[in-house]
Amino acid sequence: MAPLCAHVIIAKNCAACGCAKLAKVSKSERLNIPMPRVKRAFDLVITPGGIRRRVIECRTAIYRCEHCGQIMAPAEQYHRLAKHFHGLMSWAMYQHVAHRLSGGTIEEMLREFFGLTVGNEEIHMLKSLMARYYSKTYRHLIQKILLGPVLHIDETQVKLRTGKGYVWVFTSMEEVVFMYRPTREGGFLQEMLKDFRGVLVSDFFFAYDSIDCPQQKCLIHLIRDMNQEILNNPFDEDLQSVTQPFASLLRTIVTTVDTHGLKRKHLERHSGEVDEFFNVLSALSFRSEPAQALQDRLMKNRNKLFAFIHHNGVPWNNNNAENAIKRFAYYREDTVGIMREKGLNDYLVLLSIYQTCRYKGISFLKFLLSRERDIDRFCAGNRSPRRRSAIELYPKGFIPPHLVTLRKPKISQPPNDSSTIGDDR
Ligand SMILES: [Zn+2]
C-alpha cells in the first residue's frame, strides 16, 4: 500500500520517573529491548480536485531515561493512536447522514474507491467517535435554541430493537436539535424549558399545554382537522358557521404576513378582529356535535391560536420542526427495529448538525472537514487557525472495539452498537 507518510511517535518524559532527559536508543543497542512498534492510520484528503487516500505509518521511538535508566517507548500515544483520522470519518459520516448510505454501502465504497478495509463495526465506531467529538456542538445548539425568541417542537415515534421510543425535535429558525426519549411523556420539557423566554410553536399534543410560556399552535394542523370535519359532515351548517369566519380571519392576517412579513407592528392591527371572532364564537350555541367540539377546542386554545400577531418573527405554523423531523423519518424507514438507543443517540447528534447546516445554508461536509465545533464561528469564517497535529488520538479512555478483547481495560467505553448504521440494503 503506497504512498506512505511516516511519522515517529515521540516521548517528552520518562514514563517511570517523569524525567525529561531522554536519549534515543540506537538500532545497534536494541538487541534485548522491545522493537519500535508500528501502526498504520488511514485518512482521506478531500480537495476540490479530488479525494485521495493517505496512509500514515506511525512508529514509536525507543528511549533510555538518563535519570533512572528505564528503557521505554511512548506507550500512551501509541495505544491511543486513532486508526481512522478526521477526514475519513467526516467523509463516512457525510455519506451516512447526508445521503443515508448504510454501513455496508460505505464499507464497499471505501474498499472500491480507496482500497481501504473498514468493517461495518468500525463504521459504527466512527459514528460514535464523531458524535463524541461534536457533543460540544450539540450542547451549544440546545443552549442557543433555548435562548432564542421562538422554539418549534415536534415528536415522532421510533421503533428500536428494544421496543419503541420517541424522537423529539427542537428548532429555532436556524438551529435544530433531535433528542431521543424512551417515552412520549412531556415531563422533561418542563425542566428543559424552565428558562425559555420565547414563544413555543407546536401542534396540539397535550404535553405542550402545561409549559409556562407564550404559545402558538400550528394553524395548518388546525385547518387540516377542520377540513376533515367538513368532509365528514358536509351538510353541517353549524360547523360551517365556525369554520368560515375562522378561515376568513386567518386569510386576512396571512395577507398581512405576505405583504409585511411576521412583524408585530403590522400584525397587531388584527387583534381587534381576533377578539371579535372569539367574542362572537363564545356566545354561539350549537346542536351539532362537531360544531360544539370545534367551538370548545378554539375557546380552549384562544390564547394560543393568534399569539404570533403579538410577536416578531413567530410563524403561525410548525413547518420548521415538521420539515426537520421528516429527515429523521427517512432514516427511520431504513432502520425499523434494528437500532439501539446508543447508536440512535450518536446518529441524532450528527443529524442535528446536518439539519442545522441545511437551515443555515452551509455545507455539512465542509463543516465536518474544518474540525470546527462552533457552527456560528464556521459561518462567520473567523476560525482560529489551529495547528493540526500529524497524528490523531482516540479520546482518553476510549478503546476501539477491535482491541477491547486484547486489552481488557478496567474502564472501557466501546461503542457496543453494531446495528444502527443499518444492514446492508
Ligand atoms: Zn526515568
Side-chain angles (χ1 to χ4, degrees):
M1 201 182 268
L4 280 175
C5 311
H7 179 82
V8 179
I9 300 176
I10 56 165
K12 290 194 178 110
N13 299 87
C14 168
C17 74
C19 170
K21 278 191 177 165
L22 299 176
K24 274 196 184 165
V25 176
S26 68
K27 251 186 190 166
S28 56
E29 289 177 277
R30 277 187 205 147
L31 289 171
N32 297 316
I33 56 174
M35 291 299 290
R37 289 186 278 184
V38 179
K39 257 188 190 176
R40 277 182 178 180
F42 305 93
D43 201 6
L44 292 180
V45 180
I46 299 168
T47 66
I51 305 179
R52 80 185 158 78
R53 181 188 72 189
R54 199 164 75 97
V55 181
I56 307 99
E57 189 169 85
C58 301
R59 182 178 298 267
T60 58
I62 303 279
Y63 298 95
R64 175 181 288 113
C65 174
E66 294 190 348
H67 181 72
C68 72
Q70 173 86 18
I71 304 254
M72 51 150 295
E76 203 227 337
Q77 277 207 340
Y78 177 80
H79 283 306
R80 279 178 57 205
L81 180 74
K83 187 172 170 192
H84 309 97
F85 285 3
H86 196 87
L88 189 151
M89 295 201 287
S90 300
W91 181 88
M93 288 306 108
Y94 167 72
Q95 301 292 3
H96 181 51
V97 177
H99 299 295
R100 293 163 47 208
L101 298 188
S102 71
T105 306
I106 295 168
E107 183 182 346
E108 189 182 325
M109 286 168 78
L110 285 166
R111 188 173 57 240
E112 292 288 339
F113 294 168
F114 306 110
L116 292 175
T117 308
V118 184
N120 206 356
E121 197 188 356
E122 285 181 310
I123 292 169
H124 287 290
M125 180 187 78
L126 305 188
K127 183 176 68 170
S128 173
L129 283 168
M130 288 293 264
R132 198 160 162 155
Y133 184 83
Y134 288 105
S135 60
K136 189 176 153 193
T137 316
Y138 182 78
R139 287 195 302 273
H140 184 75
L141 287 175
I142 297 176
Q143 283 166 2
K144 194 153 181 224
I145 290 171
L146 292 177
L147 285 172
V150 54
L151 163 58
H152 294 258
I153 189 167
D154 201 3
E155 87 295 325
T156 190
Q157 199 177 311
V158 57
K159 204 160 167 274
L160 297 176
R161 192 177 281 207
T162 45
K164 69 176 183 185
Y166 291 86
V167 167
W168 298 71
V169 67
F170 305 86
T171 87
S172 64
M173 298 311 280
E174 285 197 338
E175 284 87 14
V176 182
V177 162
F178 295 90
M179 203 177 278
Y180 170 77
R181 304 291 301 184
T183 70
R184 203 182 177 201
E185 279 163 29
F188 78 101
L189 295 172
Q190 304 282 352
E191 173 59 26
M192 188 177 156
L193 302 186
K194 67 179 192 298
D195 296 324
F196 175 64
R197 294 285 167 268
V199 180
L200 182 71
V201 184
S202 72
D203 60 21
F204 289 83
F205 179 42
F206 69 90
Y208 305 126
D209 288 345
S210 53
I211 296 167
D212 184 24
C213 66
Q215 295 201 26
Q216 174 62 47
K217 294 296 178 190
C218 174
L219 297 185
I220 291 180
H221 265 84
L222 181 61
I223 292 163
R224 217 181 286 148
D225 293 346
M226 283 183 177
N227 286 338
Q228 192 55 51
E229 279 300 290
I230 293 168
L231 284 173
N232 295 345
N233 308 280
F235 306 109
D236 189 331
E237 286 177 8
D238 280 357
L239 184 61
Q240 282 164 27
S241 73
V242 182
T243 56
Q244 276 171 3
F246 180 86
S248 74
L249 171 63
L250 183 58
R251 215 173 294 126
T252 325
I253 300 178
V254 169
T255 307
T256 305
V257 174
D258 289 345
T259 319
H260 300 286
L262 292 163
K263 299 228 175 68
R264 175 180 164 178
K265 185 173 80 175
H266 297 284
L267 291 170
E268 259 187 342
R269 289 180 201 150
H270 295 285
S271 65
E273 296 156 61
V274 171
D275 289 342
E276 173 73 8
F277 169 80
F278 283 109
N279 291 341
V280 170
L281 179 69
S282 66
L284 294 175
S285 64
F286 302 111
R287 256 180 295 169
S288 140
E289 262 180 42
Q292 258 176 37
L294 181 60
Q295 181 189 32
D296 290 347
R297 185 180 182 189
L298 295 178
M299 291 312 298
K300 183 183 157 223
N301 289 290
R302 178 173 183 160
N303 296 324
K304 297 173 183 169
L305 296 180
F306 294 97
F308 74 100
I309 68 171
H310 303 294
H311 298 271
N312 282 313
V314 175
W316 52 279
N317 57 60
N318 202 16
N319 287 353
N320 241 22
E322 286 165 23
N323 286 337
I325 220 154
K326 249 184 234 160
R327 282 307 298 192
F328 173 72
Y330 296 143
Y331 176 73
R332 183 176 57 186
E333 280 170 33
D334 299 339
T335 56
V336 182
I338 58 171
M339 275 184 285
R340 286 182 213 262
E341 197 176 316
K342 165 79 171 77
L344 176 62
N345 279 326
D346 288 343
Y347 178 77
L348 293 179
V349 167
L350 299 175
L351 186 66
S352 302
I353 294 167
Y354 167 72
Q355 194 64 22
T356 299
C357 287
R358 288 190 71 191
Y359 278 10
K360 286 179 180 286
I362 58 168
S363 157
F364 174 60
L365 177 63
K366 288 199 174 78
F367 175 71
L368 296 183
L369 290 172
S370 75
R371 290 161 198 250
E372 177 59 73
R373 281 188 270 206
D374 183 324
I375 299 185
D376 289 328
R377 211 184 305 158
F378 176 82
C379 289
N382 57 0
R383 286 176 281 133
S384 53
R386 211 176 298 168
R387 244 191 86 222
R388 189 161 301 180
S389 65
I391 58 167
E392 295 180 21
L393 303 179
Y394 288 129
K396 283 204 169 111
F398 179 87
I399 310 285
H402 60 277
L403 295 179
V404 168
T405 45
L406 292 176
R407 288 201 206 152
K408 291 194 178 139
K410 278 180 197 131
I411 313 153
S412 74
Q413 291 170 295
N416 54 1
D417 185 295
S418 59
S419 62
T420 322
I421 278 203
D423 291 344
D424 195 3
R425 57 174 126 167

